[in-house]
Amino acid sequence: MSGLLAGKRLLVTGIITDQSIAFSVAKLAQEQGATVVLTGFGRLSLVERIAKRLPDAAPVIELDVQNEEHLAGLADKVREHVDGLDGVVHSIGFAPQSCLGGGFMTAPWEDVATALHVSTYSYKSLASAVLPLMGPGGAFVGLTFDAQLAWPVYDWMGVAKAGLESASRYLALHLGGQGIRSNLVSAGPLRTMAAKSIPGFEQFEDEWVKRAPLGWDLGDQESAAKACLALLSDWFPATTGEIIHVDGGFHAVGA
């Protein structure tokens, strides 16, 4: 077996459709020699159908990151398919509609709390759940959308992503002694199901395409997925607490 991830055992969360970054990660990881286990939430039968579109059909474990029983049993369920993990991809995010599309000042705490629980705290809770399966050289990789700035319509999801970026740094701090890394990939806007659920998200897509120095393809999930694979591989052994931008260079230029 050969490939960038030859022999690696990965857990990939957050696949909803084959247009998601998580699906591209799973597909490319298998092509690069990894064994992949997936998690799904909600319409599990849909995730199982999507999993069959991978080069090798991957097992799907039900995981609601707000469900303590799911988290407590996750390691055992993963062990039914692999004997350990070398990497985990966190591709989980959700905010109620009140928290998006201009609702920053009016969203109630109950909805904001949901957004922060699912999109931010889940990074730590997922790590805690699977830590018994990981050893030195392991890696967590999460997906963010540049939280250095306040974006139109992104509202409380932007706050949640800022929290995720901080949580990744703290995970890097607390797991570094065990030889485990934590990094994020900050992708530019992509026309995924998650993006379509945000009212008005398209208003800065055109601007991104025009201003990114390398240009930007709104349908290119593979570029972000490739960055995830690199961070999961052995080629970044001394990199942790980092955010890799995959956005055509947009973050580096002014108006």
Side-chain angles (χ1 to χ4, degrees), residues 95-183:
Q97 285 297 302
S98 65
C99 297
L100 302 163
F104 182 82
M105 298 297 292
T106 56
W109 166 244
E110 292 77 11
D111 288 352
V112 172
T114 296
L116 296 176
H117 192 170
V118 176
S119 309
T120 307
Y121 184 75
S122 65
Y123 192 65
K124 175 269 171 191
S125 57
L126 177 63
S128 294
V130 300
L131 199 55
L133 300 173
M134 301 186 74
F140 290 95
V141 176
L143 292 165
T144 188
F145 185 76
D146 199 337
Q148 298 179 90
L149 304 172
W151 298 102
V153 309
Y154 210 45
D155 295 324
W156 283 103
M157 183 57 85
V159 177
K161 290 298 188 184
L164 175 66
E165 293 178 6
S166 183
S168 178
R169 290 189 287 270
Y170 276 97
L171 204 65
L173 172 66
H174 287 281
L175 298 186
Q178 300 176 48
I180 296 173
R181 297 166 284 136
S182 173
N183 294 290

Side-chain angles (χ1 to χ4, degrees), residues 1-12 22-37 85-89 137-139 141 181 224-236:
M1 181 166 50
S2 62
L4 185 67
L5 299 178
K8 298 285 188 185
R9 303 153 298 175
L10 306 181
L11 181 68
V12 179
F23 180 87
S24 287
V25 169
K27 176 178 179 292
L28 293 175
Q30 286 186 343
E31 292 173 352
Q32 291 297 317
T35 299
V36 174
V37 178
L85 288 174
D86 302 292
V88 177
V89 177
V141 176
R181 297 166 284 136
K226 287 176 179 177
C228 291
L229 263 61
L231 290 169
L232 291 165
S233 77
D234 295 330
W235 284 91
F236 280 87

Side-chain angles (χ1 to χ4, degrees), residues 50-124:
I50 296 299
K52 292 177 182 176
R53 299 179 187 175
L54 293 168
D56 298 304
V60 179
I61 298 169
E62 183 178 15
L63 176 63
D64 175 358
V65 291
Q66 292 184 287
N67 186 318
E68 290 300 323
E69 290 184 6
H70 284 194
L71 290 165
L74 182 59
D76 286 339
K77 289 187 178 298
V78 171
R79 283 193 188 97
E80 294 176 8
H81 306 286
V82 290
D83 58 0
L85 288 174
D86 302 292
V88 177
V89 177
H90 178 280
S91 181
I92 299 170
F94 171 76
Q97 285 297 302
S98 65
C99 297
L100 302 163
F104 182 82
M105 298 297 292
T106 56
W109 166 244
E110 292 77 11
D111 288 352
V112 172
T114 296
L116 296 176
H117 192 170
V118 176
S119 309
T120 307
Y121 184 75
S122 65
Y123 192 65
K124 175 269 171 191

